[in-house]
Amino acid sequence: MPKVFLVKRRNPGVSARSWDELPDEKRADTYIPVSLGCLLHDPPEDCRSDGGSSSNGSGGGGGSSSSSSSSSGEPGSAESSLSPRAPECETPEPHHAVSPDGHLAAKQHPVARSKIKFTTGTCGDSVIHSCELCGKNFHLQRMLNRHLKCHNQVKRHLCTFCGKGFNDTFDLKRHVRTHTGIRPYKCDVCNKAFTQRCSLESHLKKIHGVQQQYAYKQRRDKLYVCEDCGYTGPTQEDLYLHVNSAHPGSTFLKKTSKKLAALLQNKLTSTHQEGITLSEEEERK
DNA sequence: CTCTGCCGCGAAACCTAC
DNA sequence: GTAGGTTTCGCGGCAGAG
């Protein structure tokens, strides 16, 4: 990645990974407090409902980014005023929870990183729905609705390990891998493993010179990952069978839609039956 | 039709070798 | 200090579930 993008001011002499030990005024101006204290002390329903009081500011803006802040509506100023630093509820201690499979949680301190990206305010030609907060336009109302979540201080999906909040379940799921150490994407060449596909692809390209055969934004073959043990399978059925046998109490099984579960169970029993009839036939021989 | 989960992209922050 | 690789995550697009 070109260093030209690394334009954020850093707090001299202080590792960003110990920001949570510093008072806010000593942090970089792009710091977004984790507000874990609030998360831990406030009733969860407050933190998890949309439109509630402030909690986690990450993603809500308030920082500066050189890359994409341009174009209509002065998004930078809009977001800055929108998201002043949230009232602090600092985390003096990492939340040492234990994951369902016994991982000691939060060996690392929770990290409040400033990942503020400004939107450009442009989104195609047929612009209809406009965000009043940052000026970004959307061609569909539902896209605007979803976008509005990113301005919301309250994150609906909280990490059980460190308390960090996310707008998206997948973002949370992806984040949790940093605690569980599950790295589903393995390099075939050197066996190094990564938590995200793009990390693997970046590695393959830079280290091994392997160019991906996918077009821009083309979806890759889905990899089904067991978040309990890191097992990966090529199909959902494969993963279901694994979880069913290895982690019967897994939330994955509860979350799997009844329709799909029934489908897979049918398939499972039918293959089981096939196996029985085959063995019976072999016995007759 | 809306909501939600998943995806890929891009970028900031971090790490480490030199 | 610099360069380059890695980690992490914000967010728009898309597709499936409800």
Side-chain angles (χ1 to χ4, degrees), chain A residues 19-89:
Chain A
W19 280 356
D20 47 345
E21 296 170 6
L22 292 173
D24 278 336
E25 60 271 21
K26 291 189 178 179
R27 295 171 181 169
D29 57 357
T30 53
Y31 164 74
I32 306 294
V34 174
S35 303
L36 180 54
C38 288
L39 297 171
L40 296 177
H41 298 307
D42 285 352
E45 58 267 27
D46 283 348
C47 289
R48 286 171 198 205
S49 63
D50 282 338
S53 59
S54 68
S55 156
N56 187 332
S58 65
S64 60
S65 172
S66 63
S67 56
S68 55
S69 59
S70 62
S71 167
S72 64
E74 293 278 329
S77 57
E79 290 216 338
S80 301
S81 58
L82 166 78
S83 305
R85 300 230 181 100
E88 311 311 322
C89 309

Side-chain angles (χ1 to χ4, degrees), chain A residues 214-228:
Chain A
Y214 296 95
Y216 181 67
K217 287 193 174 180
Q218 181 185 346
R219 295 220 163 188
R220 278 67 162 163
D221 292 334
K222 184 170 165 59
L223 190 64
Y224 294 87
V225 180
C226 173
E227 300 296 338
D228 289 323

Side-chain angles (χ1 to χ4, degrees), chain A residues 250-270:
Chain A
S250 169
T251 50
F252 169 81
L253 293 176
K254 294 165 193 162
K255 284 179 185 171
T256 306
S257 67
K258 288 176 185 171
K259 202 174 173 182
L260 178 67
L263 206 73
L264 293 173
Q265 276 294 348
N266 277 341
K267 213 167 180 178
L268 186 63
T269 48
S270 64

Side-chain angles (χ1 to χ4, degrees), chain A residues 117-156:
Chain A
K117 192 189 288 184
F118 286 118
T119 53
T120 61
T122 57
C123 188
D125 297 329
S126 55
V127 170
I128 304 170
H129 308 283
S130 173
C131 175
E132 291 182 1
L133 298 172
C134 68
K136 188 165 173 101
N137 297 317
F138 297 88
H139 54 282
L140 292 173
Q141 177 67 47
R142 68 171 188 268
M143 289 296 179
L144 172 60
N145 291 344
R146 212 268 303 267
H147 164 79
L148 287 171
K149 283 188 199 170
C150 77
H151 292 306
N152 197 333
Q153 300 270 329
V154 178
K155 307 300 173 184
R156 297 172 61 214

Side-chain angles (χ1 to χ4, degrees), chain A residues 89-201:
Chain A
C89 309
E90 288 302 336
T91 321
E93 300 278 336
H95 190 195
H96 288 273
V98 176
S99 70
D101 54 347
H103 290 289
L104 179 61
K107 284 177 188 166
Q108 312 134 285
H109 285 257
V111 179
R113 298 168 66 145
S114 52
K115 301 281 187 179
I116 298 94
K117 192 189 288 184
F118 286 118
T119 53
T120 61
T122 57
C123 188
D125 297 329
S126 55
V127 170
I128 304 170
H129 308 283
S130 173
C131 175
E132 291 182 1
L133 298 172
C134 68
K136 188 165 173 101
N137 297 317
F138 297 88
H139 54 282
L140 292 173
Q141 177 67 47
R142 68 171 188 268
M143 289 296 179
L144 172 60
N145 291 344
R146 212 268 303 267
H147 164 79
L148 287 171
K149 283 188 199 170
C150 77
H151 292 306
N152 197 333
Q153 300 270 329
V154 178
K155 307 300 173 184
R156 297 172 61 214
H157 306 281
L158 303 177
C159 174
T160 55
F161 291 87
C162 68
K164 191 173 184 348
F166 297 85
N167 287 319
D168 194 312
T169 48
F170 184 76
D171 288 340
L172 171 61
K173 187 173 161 184
R174 192 170 56 175
H175 162 81
V176 165
R177 286 181 187 160
T178 67
H179 295 300
T180 61
I182 286 172
R183 292 166 174 262
Y185 302 99
K186 291 191 175 63
C187 174
D188 289 333
V189 183
C190 67
N191 240 16
K192 190 169 164 54
F194 302 86
T195 57
Q196 293 177 34
R197 195 194 299 267
C198 68
S199 298
L200 169 60
E201 291 184 358

